[in-house]
Amino acid sequence: AQSVAQPEDQVNVAEGNPLTVKCTYSVSGNPYLFWYVQYPNRGLQFLLKYITGDNLVKGSYGFEAEFNKSQTSFHLKKPSALVSDSALYFCAVRDGTGANNLFFGTGTRLTVIP
Amino acid sequence: SQTIHQWPATLVQPVGSPLSLECTVEGTSNPNLYWYRQAAGRGLQLLFYSIGIDQISSEVPQNLSASRPQDRQFILSSKKLLLSDSGFYLCAWSALGQSLSEKLFFGSGTQLSVL
């Protein structure tokens, strides 16, 4: 069965500093990994995904994520944080068995401090 | 372009009352449709998904039901709400028949408070 862990409920970072939001996963077979962002009282928006190929995936708003198979991780990163990046971030995984849905982590609230 | 509409945005209901949340998708045909719930301080939990009209899969046993009377309409219902049904409900769609890499598109959500 698929599962996703986001070990940090809250991440605080100063504006202009690099940020990392952590995610580890467990699946049978090859993982399909996603990051979504949720702004207050809104639905989720897709940021990026990893399917195959390059371990470093680039997405929307300057975000990127690094797939590490040996550590079963898919951490979200950005070189320089903006105050507007403050939001709730969800990691999600789908395995290769044909399951028709995404399994989400519990979310990490990112606060960028001016 | 495709859009997803979900309403109402907020809802306050007494315990024991019925529930009906509606979601419609425009600009695409035969979408996969999903209902997720986000409880306060918790992650997203998949409640139902549908691959076609009247084809509903339930992921967790609960007080809720879902129906898909039309291709692009997905309804979440309850006959009698419980306090534990409170939460933020999200409808989502993805393209049918696509690979597992297909992403979800989410509606703006319904904040349900059961009092």
Side-chain angles (χ1 to χ4, degrees), chain B residues 93-115:
Chain B
W93 74 272
S94 67
L96 182 69
Q98 297 295 315
S99 71
L100 296 175
S101 63
E102 197 61 36
K103 62 191 178 192
L104 296 182
F105 298 88
F106 285 84
S108 53
T110 297
Q111 183 64 54
L112 172 66
S113 299
V114 182
L115 305 177

Side-chain angles (χ1 to χ4, degrees), chain A residues 36 38 43 49 94 100 102, chain B residues 38 51 100-102 104 107:
Chain A
Y36 286 80
Q38 184 182 29
K49 65 182 177 183
R94 181 188 279 141
N100 209 0
L102 284 178
Chain B
Q38 184 179 18
I51 62 171
L100 296 175
S101 63
E102 197 61 36
L104 296 182

